[in-house]
Each structure stands twice: as C-alpha cells, then as structure tokens.
Amino acid sequence: MAESISVSGITKEEKYLSLLPQIKALVEGERDTIANIANIVAALKFAMGHFWVGVYFVKNNPDNNKQELVLGPFQGPVACTRIGFGKGVCGKAWEIKSTIVVDDVELFPGHIACSSLSKSEIVVPVLNRNGDVMLVLDVDSEKTGNFNETDKLYLEEIAAIIQKCL
Ligand code: SME
C-alpha cells in the first residue's frame, strides 16, 4: 500500500488523473471494506482540498425495519448520522441511482444542511451487481458551483473502485 498521497497538476482534471492510480494502489492487496473506504475518502479530501468527503451506507434500521443511509468513513466536520430514502441530496441520489451535482445547496429542495459552511455538493451512488445502491459517496464544498462534469466523471471512477472494495 502507498504510504502517502502526492497530487500534481494545476487543473482539476490533472489532479484527478494524478490521484486515481494512487487510490488504486492504496486499496490494492487489502480486503477490508471499511479500511479501504476510509483511506479513499482521506485521499480525496486531502488531495482535492474538499470541505467534506464521506460515505453513507444503505442499512436496515432494526427499529422500524426500513432501509436508511447511515454515516460511514468520512473526513471533515461531524455530520448527520442517518438520512432517509429520497431525503436530501444523498437520499435522492439513492432513490434515482444516479449522480447528483448541486451548484447551490440552498436551491435544492430538501437539502440536509449538516454544516452551514457547505455551499455545493456532489453525490455519487455505488451500486452492486444487482443494481442495488449499497452506499453513496458525498463530497461537499465551501464554494458554490464547485462541482462539474469533470468531478462527476472522476468521482464515478472512484465510485467504481469503491464498488470493487465491497
Ligand atoms: N447535504 C447532504 C447531507 C450529508 S452532509 O452534507 C455530509 C444531503 O442533503 O443529503
């Protein structure tokens, strides 16, 4: 496993291109899902300088026997622990099984504000082979309009790496 992450490049694309092989190397040879996801979100947070990076797992809540998103490994300020199906950006990405890019969180109906400092976000669902969402990858920024098609492309590649770690 790589011991440190060093990202070169000026543009966002160059940074992702430099980061991707390092993320692959980071999880190579390690089978533990949580350990691998924990390292992936840390690499992403510190390489790209995002405000918050983390995952929410789809889990059964034994109290009501309903599936919910439950907070998993993350880097950044403390965050909401549970999110319902269809709720917020994360629950919506789970529902529609597609990436959602939000330029301005205040304009997203039902957005869940874990931190008032978060202004834009992107949520990428990770599906299993049967097409069920297993978790979502959530990346937040303190700047509005911080995420675009480049983030979508490379974060979906990172989601594919996470999928292989499950
Ligand atoms: N904003 C998210 C909630 C998770 S936090 O941003 C970490 C949402 O609306 O689903």
Side-chain angles (χ1 to χ4, degrees):
M1 160 202 143
E3 289 194 355
S4 65
I5 299 287
S6 148
V7 169
S8 58
I10 295 163
T11 67
K12 198 179 249 189
E13 178 152 47
E14 286 167 345
K15 286 183 187 167
Y16 278 119
L17 284 172
S18 150
L19 177 62
L20 268 169
Q22 296 183 71
I23 284 189
K24 284 180 189 156
L26 203 54
V27 299
E28 217 168 63
E30 175 53 62
R31 286 168 180 268
D32 190 90
T33 301
I34 296 294
N36 282 335
I37 294 177
N39 255 342
I40 290 172
V41 301
L44 198 48
K45 159 94 167 104
F46 288 99
M48 304 303 288
H50 296 307
F51 174 65
W52 194 93
V53 180
V55 299
Y56 283 87
F57 290 102
V58 174
K59 288 189 179 179
N60 187 59
N61 182 340
D63 292 338
N64 56 17
N65 215 23
K66 278 188 183 163
Q67 287 197 316
E68 284 175 350
L69 289 172
V70 182
L71 185 62
F74 71 96
Q75 293 277 329
V78 292
C80 333
T81 313
R82 291 175 183 271
I83 298 175
F85 182 73
K87 304 289 182 199
V89 187
C90 293
K92 198 72 194 169
W94 173 18
E95 183 183 348
I96 67 171
K97 299 185 176 184
S98 307
T99 299
I100 300 179
V101 178
V102 179
D103 285 339
D104 182 346
V105 295
E106 290 186 13
L107 301 179
F108 188 91
H111 167 257
I112 299 164
C114 294
S115 164
S116 60
L117 294 174
S118 175
K119 303 287 185 218
S120 61
E121 72 178 283
I122 178 167
V123 179
V124 183
V126 177
L127 280 64
N128 66 10
R129 290 200 187 97
N130 298 328
D132 302 316
V133 176
M134 305 303 286
L135 68 139
V136 299
L137 171 65
D138 181 8
V139 182
D140 291 17
S141 170
E142 286 172 290
K143 288 180 270 174
T144 51
N146 193 52
F147 303 105
N148 59 20
E149 283 300 308
T150 302
D151 297 283
K152 180 174 184 292
L153 179 72
Y154 291 106
L155 290 174
E156 285 179 353
E157 283 205 31
I158 291 171
I161 298 172
I162 293 176
Q163 201 260 339
K164 287 188 195 139
C165 296
L166 296 177

